[in-house]
Each structure stands twice: as structure tokens, then as C-alpha cells.
Amino acid sequence: MQINNQYVLTWQCPDTSGVLAKVTHNLFEHGAFITETSQYSDPYTDTFFSRIAFDDRNLKVPFEEFVSAIDELAKPLNLSYRIRNANDLPNIVIAVSKDDHCLVSLLTKWKAGVLPVNIVAVVSNHPDCQSLVEWHGIPYHHLPVNKENKPQQEAAILDVMQSADAELLVLARYMQILSDDMCVKLQGNAINIHHSFLPSFKGAKPYHQAHARGVKVIGATAHYVTADLDEGPIIVQEVKPINHTFTVEQMVHSGHDLEATALCHAVKMHAQQRICLNGDKTVILA
């Protein structure tokens, strides 16, 4: 049986009549066999978003020529796009501090083959997770940080990403605030996870604060990193109802599960090119 190459094309452009037809007709003309589509027209920004999966079973031209045809189509439509072989998994670097529940979940799903990424390195400001990471055969970079060396430490993280050809930094309970400069350099390419309570509790021991206020819902939010702390475009939110019988310890354990689930889901969607940035929001093309 012939094995076909699978590709994913994610694109967005100003919304005009027939824009989807123009793109799909271009694919048809060149023999792309479409296997999956999703799209969204945002009436507030007049922007059209689409994700198209296809294979090359009937492709009439070399792939490079196919991409050139997309380039030519993109110019008059003011279309921005990403295209990737589905088997060309993105390289990611994980940043962690001491808590390892999100890291463990990412490593486990990656090892099981259900997280479509290559974990090429882990960076940390503490040595606590080193043995776990190296057991998985992944390089561990212990990069201590303080107020004096923060610029140098962040530069070292970027060097790790560059040397490993990584496109995404995943903050898996990395308990350091990235500088504004770092956030700009990683715009759209860094995902963070944090607790999200109603109401929100900031600062130390958020679960203890929530317990003291008798919250009825706990949750976690995965989002892209921006200079506005914990206010970047939201990718995934997980919630769980609780009641007065929950102890602080039970809330912490449940919260950790939600954090790990939300972060893994967000990383998977990013890797599958299902996320488009739409100003301060995201469009999820499921």
C-alpha cells in the first residue's frame, strides 16, 4: 500500500467573498487531496481563518512548486500561512522549576507517542527535576537565576532553543516571570500554565486563598505568554466543581491534574497548527 505524505496548511487573511473557494481551488488544481477542513469567519475583525489537512496522493507538481503556487495566491489575498509535513514534528523546550506534575505529564504523553512534538531540552532554575529528565534521555540545563543575572540567564534559554532548533518554549510551572524583551522575542511561541480561580487569587499560595474564600470552582488556564502577566491569548481552560468538603491538599492535587491536562492539550493543538492568534484572543480550528 502506498504511503502518502500528510500536510497541514493553516492560514488567515482579510475576509472577502470567495476566499475559501480560491484557496481550495488552488489546492485542487495542483492535485492536493483534502482530508480535513475547519474554518471560522470572525465578524468583529473581518478576518477569515482556516486549517486544511491534505495528502499528496494525487499531487501533480513537486512540493516546492506547490508551495510557490500558494505564495503567489497569498499576495493578492494578503494571506499569511504556515504549511508543514504532519510527520515533521516541532521541536520544543520545556522550562520547569521545582513542581514536576506538568513536566511528568508532558514527558509521559511524549514517550507514549500521543504528544506530537520532539522534546529536545529542559531548562530549569533548580536541579530538582534533572534525574527525571535525564532518565528520559533529554538534555537538562540547570540555569540558576537572580536579579543580577536574569538577562544572561534568559539569553542562555534562547541559546538552548536556537541550538536545538526549537520553535516553542513550554513553561511547565516555571516560577519565573519572563522579561518584556523575552516575551517579545517569543511572541506566539511560548505557552504558560497557571491556576484560574473565580475570583482570581494572585501571589503566594493561591489554593490556600481559594480555600479560605470557599470557592466552588477550581481550574487552570493555558495561554500564550505576553508581557502582561498571565493575560496572554487563552488556548485552553479546564475547570472542576468542588465544595466545602475539599481540603487544601485535595484542591492542590485536583488543581495540579487540571494544570497538566490543560497544558498538554494546548501544546498538542499548537503542534497540530490548530491555533491562530486573533489580536488578544485565539481561534481554535478543531
Side-chain angles (χ1 to χ4, degrees), residues 131-145:
S131 60
L132 168 67
V133 171
E134 292 182 345
W135 183 85
H136 282 84
I138 299 170
Y140 189 86
H141 301 266
H142 179 209
L143 303 173
V145 62

Side-chain angles (χ1 to χ4, degrees), residues 3 28 30 35 40 78 102 105 116 125 148 170 205 208 235 242:
I3 299 177
F28 169 76
H30 293 88
T35 57
Y40 171 67
N78 194 19
C102 289
S105 186
N125 55 324
E148 288 70 34
V170 180
K205 297 186 175 181
H208 293 73
I235 305 170
I242 63 171

Side-chain angles (χ1 to χ4, degrees), residues 49 63 134 143-144 186 220 253 255 259:
F49 303 85
F63 185 69
E134 292 182 345
L143 303 173
L186 292 175
H253 293 157
E259 290 168 9

Side-chain angles (χ1 to χ4, degrees), residues 64-123:
E64 294 74 16
E65 186 176 334
F66 174 82
V67 175
S68 296
I70 297 294
D71 274 334
E72 287 302 311
L73 178 67
K75 295 173 184 176
L77 296 178
N78 194 19
L79 181 148
S80 61
Y81 72 92
R82 293 173 291 159
I83 188 169
R84 166 182 274 150
N85 188 311
N87 292 320
D88 182 15
L89 304 182
N91 294 336
I92 74 168
V93 170
I94 300 173
V96 65
S97 290
K98 292 184 176 182
D99 289 336
D100 64 2
H101 54 282
C102 289
L103 173 65
V104 167
S105 186
L106 289 165
L107 291 173
T108 301
K109 291 181 181 298
W110 165 74
K111 197 79 170 182
V114 296
L115 190 63
V117 299
N118 294 317
I119 301 177
V120 293
V122 173
V123 299

Side-chain angles (χ1 to χ4, degrees), residues 203-219:
K205 297 186 175 181
Y207 290 98
H208 293 73
Q209 296 179 53
H211 183 267
R213 290 285 299 276
V215 300
K216 300 298 183 280
V217 175
I218 61 172

Side-chain angles (χ1 to χ4, degrees), residues 2-233:
Q2 180 182 358
I3 299 177
N4 305 309
N5 290 308
Q6 309 286 329
Y7 297 92
V8 175
L9 170 67
T10 302
W11 54 278
Q12 63 190 74
C13 66
D15 198 4
T16 58
S17 178
V19 64
L20 179 60
K22 292 175 182 177
V23 174
T24 54
H25 181 70
N26 185 282
L27 269 63
F28 169 76
E29 281 188 323
H30 293 88
F33 192 95
I34 295 175
T35 57
E36 180 184 342
T37 66
S38 57
Q39 49 273 329
Y40 171 67
S41 175
D42 186 350
Y44 300 100
T45 63
D46 291 323
T47 304
F48 191 85
F49 303 85
S50 179
R51 179 183 183 273
I52 300 176
F54 64 94
D55 66 43
D56 63 355
R57 72 184 77 177
N58 297 326
L59 204 62
K60 301 174 182 178
V61 297
F63 185 69
E64 294 74 16
E65 186 176 334
F66 174 82
V67 175
S68 296
I70 297 294
D71 274 334
E72 287 302 311
L73 178 67
K75 295 173 184 176
L77 296 178
N78 194 19
L79 181 148
S80 61
Y81 72 92
R82 293 173 291 159
I83 188 169
R84 166 182 274 150
N85 188 311
N87 292 320
D88 182 15
L89 304 182
N91 294 336
I92 74 168
V93 170
I94 300 173
V96 65
S97 290
K98 292 184 176 182
D99 289 336
D100 64 2
H101 54 282
C102 289
L103 173 65
V104 167
S105 186
L106 289 165
L107 291 173
T108 301
K109 291 181 181 298
W110 165 74
K111 197 79 170 182
V114 296
L115 190 63
V117 299
N118 294 317
I119 301 177
V120 293
V122 173
V123 299
S124 180
N125 55 324
H126 294 284
D128 300 57
C129 298
Q130 183 165 354
S131 60
L132 168 67
V133 171
E134 292 182 345
W135 183 85
H136 282 84
I138 299 170
Y140 189 86
H141 301 266
H142 179 209
L143 303 173
V145 62
N146 53 49
K147 291 182 180 179
E148 288 70 34
N149 78 338
K150 189 176 182 69
Q152 293 77 16
Q153 192 256 12
E154 290 189 339
I157 294 175
L158 292 174
D159 285 343
V160 170
M161 293 185 66
Q162 183 175 7
S163 62
D165 193 27
E167 70 173 54
L168 180 69
L169 180 66
V170 180
L171 305 181
R173 295 295 290 170
Y174 179 63
M175 306 305 290
Q176 292 290 318
I177 298 174
L178 300 185
S179 68
D180 290 357
D181 182 62
M182 185 78 158
C183 292
V184 170
K185 290 178 179 176
L186 292 175
Q187 184 176 10
N189 293 297
I191 294 176
N192 190 25
I193 185 71
H194 68 89
H195 61 85
S196 55
F197 292 117
L198 298 176
S200 175
F201 298 102
K202 298 182 179 181
K205 297 186 175 181
Y207 290 98
H208 293 73
Q209 296 179 53
H211 183 267
R213 290 285 299 276
V215 300
K216 300 298 183 280
V217 175
I218 61 172
T221 297
H223 62 92
Y224 283 114
V225 174
T226 64
D228 296 320
L229 182 62
D230 292 341
E231 295 183 14

